[in-house]
Amino acid sequence: MPEVREASAARTAGSVVVHVFVVLLAVAFLFPFFWMLSNAVRSNSEVLAVPPRLLPSEWQWNNFIDALSFLPFGRFFLNSIAVSLAITLITLIVSSLAGYAFARIRFPGRDSLFLLYLSTLMVPQAVIVIPLFLLMSRLGWVNTYQGLILPVAFGSFGTFLMRQFFLTIPRELEEAALIDGCTRLRAFWSIFLPLATPALGLLSLFTFTGQWNSFLWPLIVVNGTDHSTIPLGLTAFQGQNGTQWNYIMAGAAISMLPGLALTILLQKYIFKGIAISSGFGGR
Amino acid sequence: MTSPPSITGAVSRRRGGRLWYDSLSALGFLAPGLIGLLLFLVLPLIASLVLSFTNWKIMGKTSFIGLGNFSQALTVDPVFWQVLFNTILFTIEYLVLNIIISVGLALALASLRWGKQFFRLVFFLPTFAPLVGSSVVWLLIFTPGGFLDWVMAALHIPLPNLITDPSWAMQCVVIVSLWAGFGYNLLLFGAALESIPQQYLDAASIDGATGWQRFWRIKLPLISPSLFFGIVLTAITSLQVFDQVYALTRGGPGAATQTLGYKIYRDGFISYNFGYASSIAWILFVVIMVLTAVQLGLQRKWVHYDA
Amino acid sequence: MHISKMGVGAAVRVSVVAASLLAGASWIGQAVADPVTLTWGMWVGSDAEKAAWQHVADMVTAKYPDIKIELQTASWPDYWTKLPTLVASNQLPDIVSLQSLRTPGFASVMTPLDDMAKRDNFDVGAFDKSIIGGLSSDGHLLALPYDFGPLLVYYNADMFKKDNVPVPKEGWTEDDFKKAAKTLTHDQQYGFGIGGVDQVISWISSAGATYLKDGNLDITNDKFAAAFQDYVDLVGKDKVAPLQAASGGAQLGDMARGSFAAGNIAMVIDGPWQLINLKSSVKFTIGLAPVPAGAAGSITVTAGSGFGISQTSQHKEEAWKALQILTGPDAEQYLASQGRAFAARIADQQYWYKAAAVGVDNAEAGMNAALKGTVPYITTPNWNTVNNLFEQYEPLALSGKQTGAEVLATINKLSAQ
C-alpha cells in the first residue's frame, strides 16, 4: 500500500516537473514572436540599436497600417489567400481521386505508377523551376494567377496521404456497394469521401500552410506587385534604399493570422487525420 | 470467406469484365492528377536534365557540353564539395535533433493532464509564418550586437557571435530550421503515441517495467511506422534547404552555410549559369534518391508494421 | 455593268483617286499612329516610389497621346533575379531599367542608342559624362541616365560635435579619417560602418590601385590586396567599425546604414540616392563629405541608373521617344525635387540640393568635392556574381579569419567560373 502511495506521489511530482519544463520551453520558444511584435511597433532606426531594446521607446502601433500602405500589402494578403485556397482545393480533389484509385482499384501497372508518384516527392523544387518557367512563358502564364496556381497543385504528397488513409477503410463497405450495382464513382462519392474528412482536413492544413509560405516559385513566376504573394511582399520591404525591418516584422505578424485561424477551425480533423493517414500510427 | 453458391457464379462472371471496368475507371480517377503531374513535374524534370548537359547562360552562345557541367562540379568547382558536405551535415544534424526533440516533447505533452492541445498549437505556430519572415526575426536576434550577443554577454558565455563565424554560422541555420520545423513531427508523433492502446502500457507497468523500458520496448516500436514516415519526409525536405539560407546568411560567411539548394539558386539566378545550376540540381536529386533508398532498405530492420 | 456604262477612263480616274485617298489616309494614319502601349520594367521599394514613376510615365503620354506606358515593377533584389528569366522567355519589357554596375552583363539584349541619338541630334552632353560612360558598353550607349551619384561620406554631425571631432571636409586624408573614427569609437558606438564591393572599389581607387586589367577582373594584384587589407583592418585591427552580418536581403552596406540611422555609427559611405530615406528616419543632423584621400587622392566611383530599349522590343521608335521624356528636363526636375534622383542632367542637379539636401550639413560642398574626384565605375559582365562573392567572402576578412589576400584569391577563382 505505501508503495502505491509513494509511486503515485512520485508520479505527481514527475508530472509537475514535466509541466514546468514544458511551460518554460514554450516561453523560450515564443520569444521570437515577442521579438517580432516588439520590433514591429518601433521605428525602423531603433531596430538595429545597440544594445538591443526589449521594448520600443515609442510605440508605433500604426506600423501595422503603414506597412499595408507602404506596399500594397493588402493586395499581397488577398493574393496569398486566393492562391493558397485554389491550390488546396485542386489538391484535395485530385489527390482524393488518385488516392482512391491507388488504394482500391486493381489495375495493371498500379504499383509501378505509384512508385513514380513516390519518386516525384524527391524532386527538389530547384530542379524544375527553370524549365517550368520556360513552360509558363510558352503558355503565356508568366505573372498570372494560373501560373501561380496550376504548376504547384499537382504534387504527389496529397495522393500518398489519401491512399494511406483509404487503405484503412474496410473493404466490405465498398464491396457491398459494388455488388449492389454502384459505380466506382458513386462509391467514392457517397462512401469514401465522407469518411475521409479527417484526412482531407489534414491535407488542407498542410497544403494551405505550405503554399502560404511558398517563396521560390512565386519569386520566379511573378513580375510586379499585382500578383505578389506575402513572402514576396516581405522581401519587397528590402529596397534599394534600405530595409524597412519594422514593416517586415509587422507584415510577418499579419501573415500568420490565416494559418492560425485555419488550424483552430480544423483542430478536430487534424489529429484524427494524422494518426490514420500517416498510415501506421500505432495500429 | 465463402460466398453462397448462387452468388459465386455472378461474382466470377463479373471478374472478367471487372478488369476492364477497373482499368477504365482507374484511368478516370487518375487522369486529372496524372496530366498535371506529367505536365508540371515530369516534363520539366526531363527538360532540366537536358539543360544540365548544356552551358546555357541565357545571354550568349549555348552549346551541348555533355557531362561537362558534372565534371566541373565534381573536379573544378572550388566550393562544390564543401557545399555537398554542408548539405549532408545540416541534414543529419537537423534530422537527429528534430526527431529527438519532437519525440521527446511528444512524450512530455502526452503525459500532461491539461493544456495538451494548447501546447501543441504553441509549438506549431512557426509553421504559419513564412520562413522568410521567421528568418528575418532570427537574423535580428543573431546579428552582432543583437539580442543573443547581449544575453551571452550578460551570462558571461564566451562564445563568438554565431552568425558571422564560419564555424558557428551553420548552427544558426539549424536553430532556425528546428524552431520553424519540428511542430509538424510533434503533431505526427503525438498522434501516433495517442493511438497506442493504454492496456499495453498498463500491463507493462504492472509487470514492473520502468518508464524508460515502456518507451523503448512498447512505445517506440509501436510508433516506428510514423517515425519512419516522419524521418523520410524530413530528410527529403532538409536536403533541399533554401529559404532559411537565403534569408539568414545568403550562404555566408564564405561558403560556410551554402547548401546545394542555395547553390542552385545562386549559380542560376545570380551568376545566370542555368546549365550548370541544372546539373547541380540533378546531383541533389540523386543524393535525395540514394538517401531515401537507403532508408527504405533499412526500414525492415527497425520498423514494425502490424501491432 | 456600272464600269461598262461609265467607261474605262472614268473607272481609271475613280480608282486613281481612290488609291491616292487610301494612300493619303494611311499616311495620315501613321502620323496619328495606332496607340502603342510600351512596357517598362522598373524596381520600386514602396508605393510612393511607384507613384513617382507613374507620374513620369504620364509625362510621356501627355506629350505623345498615342504612347501609353505600362509599369512592370519588382522589388530591388527581385528585379535582378527576374531580369534573366525575362530574357530567357523573350519577355523583356520594351523599356528596361538598368543600373550602371549591371549594364555590361545585359549589354547583349539592349539596343544601342547612339544612332538614334545622332539622327535626332539628341544632346548626350547634357548628362554627366561619368554616368553616360557607366551606362555604355563596348563604346555603345545602352541607356539614358536619370540619376547618378558619387559614393561619399555620410556623417552624424551630432556625434562629431559631442566628441569634439572636426567634421570631414574637402582635402581630409585617410589619416584624418582614421583618427576621427578612433575618437568616435567608444562604449557602444563606432566611428565607421563597413560596406561591400562598391565601397571597397572606392577605397582602393583612392589608394591608387586598380581592379581591372584589359576589361577583366584583376583583384589579386599587390596594390589592391594592400589597400583591401587596409580597409578590412578597420574592423579587425583598428576596430573602428563593427563586424556586421551580411545576410537576409540586406547587403553589407545596408546593415551599416541601419546602424548609422540608429545612431550607433558615426560615418558610412553611400550614394546620394539614400539621402531622402535616411533623412526621414533619423533624429540627428546628417552631413556629407568626400571620401578621405588616399595615396592617389580622394577618388570615388559613381553609379547611377537609366532606361534602355530591349533588343526584342517591337516599338523601338516609340520607346526612344519615351526615353527622351523619361530622362528629359521636366522629368529630371520632378524627380530631383522629390529628392529621388540626383539628376544625371547637369542643369537639373540644383533641384536635388533644394529638396533632398535641405537640412543637411555641407551638402553642396561635400557633393562638389566628391564630384571632383569621380571615376566611372566600370564593371565586368559578371559583376552580379562578383558583388555576391564579396558579400559572401568579405566577412571572412573582416573577422580576421582569413587575410584580405586569401579572400581576394577565393573571389577571383570563383568569379572565373
Side-chain angles (χ1 to χ4, degrees):
Chain A
M1 278 313 126
E3 291 134 3
V4 175
R5 239 181 290 135
E6 243 177 56
S8 82
R11 227 176 301 145
T12 321
S15 148
V16 166
V17 168
V18 171
H19 259 96
V20 167
F21 170 70
V22 171
V23 167
L24 285 178
L25 192 66
V27 167
F29 189 82
L30 287 174
F31 177 76
F33 290 112
F34 164 76
W35 200 237
M36 185 192 284
L37 291 172
S38 165
N39 276 294
V41 294
R42 65 179 68 179
S43 73
N44 201 25
S45 50
E46 261 204 351
V47 173
L48 286 176
V50 172
R53 308 185 51 106
L54 269 181
L55 293 172
S57 56
E58 23 169 287
W59 294 74
Q60 296 186 336
W61 291 102
N62 52 307
N63 277 352
F64 286 106
I65 305 179
D66 288 346
L68 294 178
S69 56
F70 189 77
L71 284 172
F73 205 77
R75 182 79 195 233
F76 302 156
F77 197 79
L78 287 174
N79 282 339
S80 273
I81 290 191
V83 169
S84 304
L85 275 180
I87 295 175
T88 305
L89 204 63
I90 297 178
T91 304
L92 284 179
I93 297 173
V94 165
S95 303
S96 44
L97 285 172
Y100 171 72
F102 279 119
R104 278 290 176 264
I105 308 181
R106 262 195 211 99
F107 58 91
R110 179 177 78 169
D111 288 337
S112 5
L113 191 62
F114 190 62
L115 206 60
L116 174 71
Y117 269 70
L118 273 191
S119 52
T120 59
L121 276 179
M122 295 186 282
V123 175
Q125 200 187 24
V127 178
I128 51 177
V129 280
I130 296 161
L132 204 55
F133 178 77
L134 291 175
L135 180 65
M136 292 297 107
S137 60
R138 279 293 140 75
L139 293 171
W141 285 3
V142 176
N143 207 34
T144 60
Y145 285 108
Q146 56 271 36
L148 271 171
I149 295 172
L150 291 175
V152 292
F154 294 91
S156 49
F157 175 74
T159 304
F160 188 23
L161 199 75
M162 296 312 292
R163 172 196 184 256
Q164 296 304 106
F165 181 79
F166 284 135
L167 280 176
T168 68
I169 294 186
R171 275 186 186 279
E172 294 81 43
L173 275 178
E174 138 211 40
E175 291 286 321
L178 286 173
I179 287 177
D180 279 351
C182 217
T183 61
R184 285 252 178 229
L185 193 58
R186 189 78 187 292
F188 172 74
W189 182 257
S190 13
I191 302 177
F192 280 76
L193 266 192
L195 286 175
T197 31
L200 289 175
L202 183 70
L203 186 58
S204 310
L205 180 71
F206 278 6
T207 310
F208 187 85
T209 47
Q211 291 308 324
W212 187 256
N213 297 338
S214 171
F215 177 62
L216 185 60
W217 178 243
L219 176 68
I220 290 172
V221 81
V222 164
N223 207 358
T225 51
D226 282 347
H227 294 87
S228 273
T229 57
I230 287 185
L232 286 187
L234 290 179
T235 53
F237 284 113
Q238 293 164 334
Q240 187 190 16
N241 299 324
T243 306
Q244 289 288 132
W245 301 102
N246 50 352
Y247 289 166
I248 297 182
M249 294 293 97
I254 297 175
S255 71
M256 293 182 58
L257 297 174
L260 200 55
L262 197 70
T263 308
I264 296 179
L265 258 151
L266 295 175
Q267 285 191 81
K268 272 188 294 175
Y269 301 123
I270 296 169
F271 234 59
K272 256 174 97 184
I274 300 184
I276 306 176
S277 40
S278 67
F280 322 93
R283 275 178 73 235
Chain B
M1 186 169 81
T2 49
S3 27
S6 50
I7 303 187
T8 318
V11 169
S12 54
R13 241 184 300 127
R14 257 216 173 74
R15 268 216 186 109
R18 178 81 151 249
L19 193 61
W20 251 126
Y21 174 66
D22 278 356
S23 302
L24 276 172
S25 54
L27 198 63
F29 277 91
L30 286 173
L34 199 55
I35 294 176
L37 195 78
L38 289 174
L39 188 61
F40 298 118
L41 261 155
V42 177
L43 195 64
L45 189 62
I46 299 174
S48 77
L49 186 61
V50 172
L51 266 181
S52 68
F53 296 133
T54 69
N55 64 352
W56 187 48
K57 282 194 190 188
I58 300 218
M59 292 169 282
K61 281 209 203 24
T62 312
S63 48
F64 266 100
I65 56 172
L67 294 174
N69 284 328
F70 294 96
S71 77
Q72 178 171 350
L74 296 173
T75 57
V76 176
D77 192 335
V79 293
F80 174 76
W81 287 104
Q82 180 179 4
V83 169
L84 182 63
F85 181 70
N86 287 346
T87 310
I88 294 183
L89 202 66
F90 170 81
T91 300
I92 295 177
E93 183 181 349
Y94 173 67
L95 194 59
V96 168
L97 287 177
N98 182 318
I99 299 295
I100 293 178
I101 294 178
S102 40
V103 172
L105 206 55
L107 282 171
L109 288 186
S111 73
L112 285 186
R113 261 186 263 114
W114 56 266
K116 231 186 285 202
Q117 284 288 69
F118 171 73
F119 283 115
R120 281 191 180 123
L121 195 64
V122 163
F123 292 113
F124 198 67
L125 272 178
T127 55
F128 302 135
L131 202 47
V132 185
S134 313
S135 304
V136 173
V137 183
W138 279 98
L139 174 64
L140 291 177
I141 295 177
F142 282 131
T143 197
F147 185 76
L148 190 67
D149 279 3
W150 180 71
V151 166
M152 290 206 290
L155 296 177
H156 299 292
I157 302 177
L159 279 178
N161 173 266
L162 297 183
I163 207 165
T164 51
D165 190 310
S167 331
W168 287 97
M170 187 53 107
Q171 301 309 311
C172 297
V173 181
V174 172
I175 291 174
V176 176
S177 311
L178 279 174
W179 180 82
F182 84 89
Y184 280 111
N185 282 341
L186 183 67
L187 280 190
L188 183 67
F189 302 147
L193 280 173
E194 287 221 329
S195 15
I196 296 179
Q198 188 61 26
Q199 306 100 282
Y200 293 1
L201 298 167
D202 292 339
S205 327
I206 290 176
D207 282 350
T210 62
W212 189 244
Q213 284 174 321
R214 285 204 305 275
F215 171 69
W216 270 112
R217 300 280 178 77
I218 302 179
K219 291 186 188 172
L220 199 54
L222 283 178
I223 64 168
S224 57
S226 296
L227 210 56
F228 178 71
F229 184 77
I231 290 178
V232 170
L233 284 182
T234 308
I236 291 178
T237 49
S238 58
L239 279 167
Q240 301 178 37
V241 59
F242 168 73
D243 292 16
Q244 311 89 296
V245 176
Y246 178 87
L248 200 60
T249 61
R250 289 291 170 94
T257 57
Q258 201 169 331
T259 57
L260 283 173
Y262 185 75
K263 183 170 171 56
I264 296 167
Y265 167 80
R266 200 197 146 284
D267 288 347
F269 290 96
I270 293 183
S271 303
Y272 306 147
N273 216 339
F274 283 100
Y276 187 60
S278 301
S279 68
I280 304 283
W282 267 86
I283 295 179
L284 176 61
F285 187 24
V286 167
V287 171
I288 294 179
M289 282 198 282
V290 167
L291 195 64
T292 309
V294 166
Q295 289 178 309
L296 284 171
L298 286 177
Q299 136 182 248
R300 241 154 293 187
K301 296 225 171 122
W302 66 280
V303 183
H304 296 73
Y305 294 102
D306 306 313
Chain C
M1 270 62 58
H2 300 282
I3 294 182
S4 56
K5 273 221 176 125
M6 280 160 62
V8 174
V12 169
R13 255 177 285 138
V14 166
S15 43
V16 164
V17 171
S20 51
L21 274 177
L22 275 172
S26 63
W27 175 81
I28 293 173
Q30 266 171 9
V32 168
D34 297 320
V36 166
T37 305
L38 299 172
T39 46
W40 177 24
M42 182 60 185
W43 53 84
V44 296
S46 65
D47 268 357
E49 274 182 54
K50 187 168 182 188
W53 295 117
Q54 191 61 55
H55 181 108
V56 173
D58 293 340
M59 284 182 179
V60 176
T61 312
K63 175 91 191 275
Y64 300 104
D66 48 307
I67 301 183
K68 274 202 168 46
I69 299 199
E70 180 194 304
L71 259 179
Q72 288 178 346
T73 60
S75 69
W76 170 249
D78 297 340
Y79 184 81
W80 303 104
T81 310
K82 296 224 44 87
L83 206 53
T85 60
L86 292 175
V87 174
S89 57
N90 248 342
Q91 297 241 346
L92 268 184
D94 297 297
I95 301 176
V96 180
S97 308
L98 283 180
Q99 187 206 27
S100 57
L101 307 180
R102 293 182 160 93
T103 302
F106 289 96
S108 56
V109 295
M110 300 301 291
T111 312
L113 303 174
D114 321 272
D115 294 335
M116 287 192 275
K118 212 184 296 192
R119 178 198 72 193
D120 292 348
N121 276 326
F122 181 76
D123 181 21
V124 175
F127 296 97
D128 184 282
K129 228 189 337 194
S130 68
I131 188 57
I132 290 286
L135 289 172
S136 307
S137 180
D138 261 347
H140 293 292
L141 180 63
L142 297 175
L144 289 184
Y146 79 89
D147 92 333
F148 87 112
L151 289 185
L152 71 172
V153 170
Y154 283 65
Y155 63 88
N156 183 328
D158 297 352
M159 280 167 90
F160 272 78
K161 206 188 297 186
K162 202 155 89 145
D163 285 341
N164 229 340
V165 181
V167 290
K169 56 188 205 301
E170 182 171 2
W172 69 313
T173 64
E174 259 167 38
D175 281 337
D176 299 329
F177 164 76
K178 284 187 188 165
K179 228 187 297 178
K182 275 213 176 82
T183 319
L184 289 159
T185 304
H186 55 81
D187 303 314
Q188 298 279 12
Q189 77 181 39
Y190 285 88
F192 183 65
I194 285 286
V197 67
D198 300 341
Q199 288 87 330
V200 167
I201 299 290
S202 199
W203 183 271
I204 64 106
S205 302
S206 294
T210 56
Y211 63 99
L212 289 177
K213 192 150 90 173
D214 302 324
N216 291 320
L217 195 68
D218 172 33
I219 54 177
T220 47
N221 62 72
D222 291 337
K223 258 196 167 156
F224 189 103
F228 183 64
Q229 189 66 52
D230 198 35
Y231 185 69
V232 299
D233 278 346
L234 291 170
V235 176
K237 205 165 64 136
D238 306 321
K239 300 213 193 290
V240 296
L243 179 64
Q244 293 180 308
S247 24
Q251 308 226 292
L252 276 169
D254 288 357
M255 298 301 263
R257 193 188 319 118
S259 297
F260 175 76
N264 285 120
I265 291 182
M267 295 183 278
V268 286
I269 295 181
D270 221 317
W273 44 84
Q274 295 295 357
L275 189 57
I276 184 111
N277 287 339
L278 263 184
K279 223 174 50 158
S280 59
S281 61
V282 302
K283 296 193 172 79
F284 52 84
T285 311
I286 303 179
L288 297 179
V291 296
S298 167
I299 314 264
T300 188
V301 290
T302 61
S305 311
F307 316 117
I309 308 175
S310 58
Q311 287 267 17
T312 51
S313 170
Q314 304 286 329
H315 310 288
K316 297 207 173 89
E317 284 299 325
E318 286 85 352
W320 171 243
K321 285 195 192 131
L323 278 197
Q324 295 175 66
I325 306 289
L326 292 176
T327 60
D330 292 331
E332 289 278 75
Q333 189 177 330
Y334 169 74
L335 291 170
S337 329
Q338 293 255 309
R340 294 209 174 279
F342 183 68
R345 278 183 182 275
I346 304 169
D348 294 301
Q349 286 168 0
Q350 47 159 325
Y351 295 104
W352 185 82
Y353 290 116
K354 293 201 184 119
V358 170
V360 174
D361 281 0
N362 300 324
E364 203 153 343
M367 280 292 278
N368 285 333
L371 285 168
K372 272 195 222 159
T374 58
V375 291
Y377 197 172
I378 306 180
T379 57
T380 54
N382 66 346
W383 199 254
N384 213 21
T385 305
V386 173
N387 187 11
N388 194 260
L389 286 170
F390 267 90
E391 291 296 309
Q392 266 189 280
Y393 288 91
E394 190 181 319
L396 287 175
L398 294 174
S399 59
K401 293 269 183 307
Q402 288 190 355
T403 65
E406 288 173 326
V407 165
L408 291 174
T410 313
I411 296 178
N412 203 30
K413 209 167 18 145
L414 286 174
S415 66
Q417 275 215 107

